[in-house]
Coordinates of all heavy atoms in Angstrom, one line a residue:
L103 N -45.6 14.0 -2.7 CA -46.8 14.8 -2.4 C -47.3 15.6 -3.6 O -48.5 15.8 -3.9 CB -46.6 15.8 -1.3 CG -46.9 15.2 0.1 CD1 -46.4 16.2 1.2 CD2 -48.3 14.9 0.3
R104 N -46.4 16.2 -4.4 CA -46.8 17.0 -5.6 C -47.4 16.1 -6.6 O -48.5 16.5 -7.3 CB -45.6 17.6 -6.2 CG -45.2 19.0 -5.6 CD -44.2 19.6 -6.5 NE -44.4 21.1 -6.4 CZ -43.5 21.9 -6.5 NH1 -42.3 21.6 -6.9 NH2 -43.8 23.2 -6.4
L105 N -46.9 14.9 -6.8 CA -47.5 14.0 -7.8 C -48.9 13.6 -7.3 O -49.9 13.6 -8.1 CB -46.6 12.8 -7.9 CG -47.1 11.6 -8.8 CD1 -47.3 12.1 -10.2 CD2 -46.2 10.4 -8.7
I106 N -49.1 13.3 -6.0 CA -50.4 13.0 -5.5 C -51.4 14.1 -5.7 O -52.5 14.0 -6.1 CB -50.3 12.6 -4.0 CG1 -49.4 11.5 -3.7 CG2 -51.7 12.5 -3.3 CD1 -50.0 10.1 -3.9
T107 N -50.9 15.4 -5.5 CA -51.8 16.5 -5.6 C -52.2 16.7 -7.1 O -53.4 16.9 -7.3 CB -51.0 17.8 -5.2 OG1 -50.6 17.7 -3.8 CG2 -51.9 19.1 -5.3
S108 N -51.3 16.5 -8.0 CA -51.7 16.6 -9.4 C -52.7 15.5 -9.8 O -53.6 15.7 -10.6 CB -50.4 16.6 -10.3 OG -49.8 15.4 -10.3
I109 N -52.5 14.3 -9.3 CA -53.4 13.2 -9.6 C -54.8 13.5 -9.0 O -55.8 13.3 -9.7 CB -52.9 11.9 -9.0 CG1 -51.7 11.4 -9.8 CG2 -54.0 10.8 -9.0 CD1 -51.0 10.2 -9.3
L110 N -54.8 14.1 -7.8 CA -56.1 14.4 -7.2 C -56.8 15.5 -8.0 O -58.1 15.4 -8.2 CB -55.9 14.8 -5.7 CG -55.5 13.7 -4.8 CD1 -55.2 14.2 -3.4 CD2 -56.6 12.6 -4.7
F111 N -56.1 16.5 -8.5 CA -56.7 17.5 -9.3 C -57.3 16.9 -10.6 O -58.4 17.3 -11.0 CB -55.8 18.7 -9.5 CG -55.6 19.6 -8.4 CD1 -54.4 20.0 -8.0 CD2 -56.7 20.0 -7.6 CE1 -54.2 20.8 -6.9 CE2 -56.5 20.9 -6.5 CZ -55.3 21.3 -6.2
A112 N -56.6 16.0 -11.2 CA -57.1 15.3 -12.4 C -58.3 14.5 -12.1 O -59.3 14.6 -12.9 CB -56.0 14.4 -13.0
L113 N -58.3 13.8 -11.0 CA -59.5 13.1 -10.6 C -60.7 14.0 -10.3 O -61.9 13.6 -10.6 CB -59.2 12.2 -9.3 CG -58.3 11.0 -9.5 CD1 -57.9 10.4 -8.2 CD2 -58.9 10.0 -10.5
E114 N -60.4 15.1 -9.7 CA -61.5 16.1 -9.4 C -62.0 16.6 -10.7 O -63.3 16.8 -10.9 CB -61.1 17.2 -8.5 CG -62.2 18.1 -8.1 CD -61.8 19.3 -7.3 OE1 -60.7 19.9 -7.5 OE2 -62.6 19.6 -6.4
T115 N -61.2 17.0 -11.6 CA -61.6 17.5 -12.9 C -62.5 16.5 -13.7 O -63.4 16.9 -14.3 CB -60.3 17.8 -13.8 OG1 -59.5 18.8 -13.1 CG2 -60.7 18.3 -15.2
N116 N -62.2 15.2 -13.5 CA -63.0 14.2 -14.1 C -64.2 13.8 -13.2 O -64.9 12.8 -13.5 CB -62.2 13.0 -14.5 CG -61.3 13.3 -15.6 OD1 -61.7 13.6 -16.7 ND2 -60.0 13.2 -15.4
N117 N -64.5 14.5 -12.2 CA -65.6 14.3 -11.3 C -65.6 12.9 -10.6 O -66.7 12.4 -10.3 CB -66.9 14.6 -12.0 CG -68.0 15.0 -11.1 OD1 -67.7 15.5 -10.0 ND2 -69.3 14.8 -11.4
L118 N -64.4 12.4 -10.4 CA -64.3 11.1 -9.7 C -64.2 11.2 -8.2 O -64.6 10.4 -7.4 CB -63.2 10.3 -10.2 CG -63.3 9.9 -11.7 CD1 -62.0 9.3 -12.2 CD2 -64.5 9.0 -12.0
I119 N -63.7 12.4 -7.8 CA -63.6 12.7 -6.4 C -64.0 14.2 -6.2 O -64.1 14.9 -7.1 CB -62.2 12.6 -5.8 CG1 -61.2 13.5 -6.5 CG2 -61.7 11.1 -5.9 CD1 -59.9 13.7 -5.8
T120 N -64.2 14.6 -4.9 CA -64.5 15.9 -4.5 C -63.4 16.3 -3.6 O -63.1 15.6 -2.6 CB -65.9 16.2 -3.9 OG1 -66.9 15.8 -4.9 CG2 -66.1 17.6 -3.5
L121 N -62.8 17.5 -3.8 CA -61.8 18.1 -2.9 C -62.5 19.3 -2.3 O -63.1 20.1 -3.0 CB -60.6 18.5 -3.6 CG -59.7 17.4 -4.2 CD1 -58.6 18.0 -5.1 CD2 -59.1 16.6 -3.1
K122 N -62.4 19.5 -0.9 CA -63.0 20.7 -0.3 C -62.1 21.2 0.8 O -61.6 20.5 1.6 CB -64.4 20.3 0.3 CG -65.1 21.5 0.8 CD -66.5 21.2 1.1 CE -67.2 22.5 1.6 NZ -68.6 22.3 2.0
K123 N -61.9 22.5 0.8 CA -61.1 23.2 1.8 C -61.8 23.1 3.1 O -63.0 23.4 3.2 CB -60.9 24.6 1.4 CG -59.9 25.3 2.3 CD -59.6 26.7 1.8 CE -58.6 27.4 2.7 NZ -58.3 28.7 2.3
N124 N -61.1 22.7 4.2 CA -61.6 22.6 5.5 C -61.0 23.8 6.3 O -59.8 23.7 6.7 CB -61.2 21.2 6.1 CG -61.7 21.1 7.5 OD1 -61.9 22.0 8.3 ND2 -62.0 19.8 7.9
N125 N -61.8 24.9 6.4 CA -61.2 26.1 7.1 C -60.9 25.9 8.5 O -60.0 26.5 9.1 CB -62.2 27.2 6.9 CG -62.3 27.7 5.4 OD1 -61.3 27.8 4.8 ND2 -63.5 28.0 5.0
K126 N -61.6 25.0 9.2 CA -61.4 24.7 10.6 C -60.1 24.1 10.9 O -59.3 24.4 11.8 CB -62.6 23.9 11.2 CG -62.5 23.6 12.6 CD -63.7 22.7 13.1 CE -63.5 22.3 14.5 NZ -64.6 21.3 14.9
R127 N -59.7 23.1 10.0 CA -58.5 22.3 10.2 C -57.3 22.8 9.3 O -56.2 22.3 9.4 CB -58.7 20.9 10.0 CG -59.4 20.2 11.1 CD -59.4 18.7 10.8 NE -59.7 18.0 12.0 CZ -59.3 16.8 12.2 NH1 -58.6 16.1 11.3 NH2 -59.6 16.1 13.3
H128 N -57.7 23.7 8.4 CA -56.7 24.2 7.4 C -56.2 23.0 6.5 O -54.9 22.9 6.4 CB -55.5 25.0 8.1 CG -56.0 26.1 8.9 ND1 -56.6 27.2 8.4 CD2 -56.1 26.2 10.3 CE1 -56.9 28.0 9.4 NE2 -56.7 27.4 10.6

Side-chain angles (χ1 to χ4, degrees):
L103 271 172
R104 275 194 149 151
L105 177 62
I106 299 277
T107 303
S108 67
I109 290 171
L110 290 174
F111 284 133
L113 290 172
E114 183 183 39
T115 299
N116 289 299
N117 205 25
L118 298 174
I119 62 164
T120 298
L121 297 170
K122 185 169 184 185
K123 186 175 181 181
N124 183 329
N125 291 320
K126 182 179 174 187
R127 285 189 160 207
H128 307 289

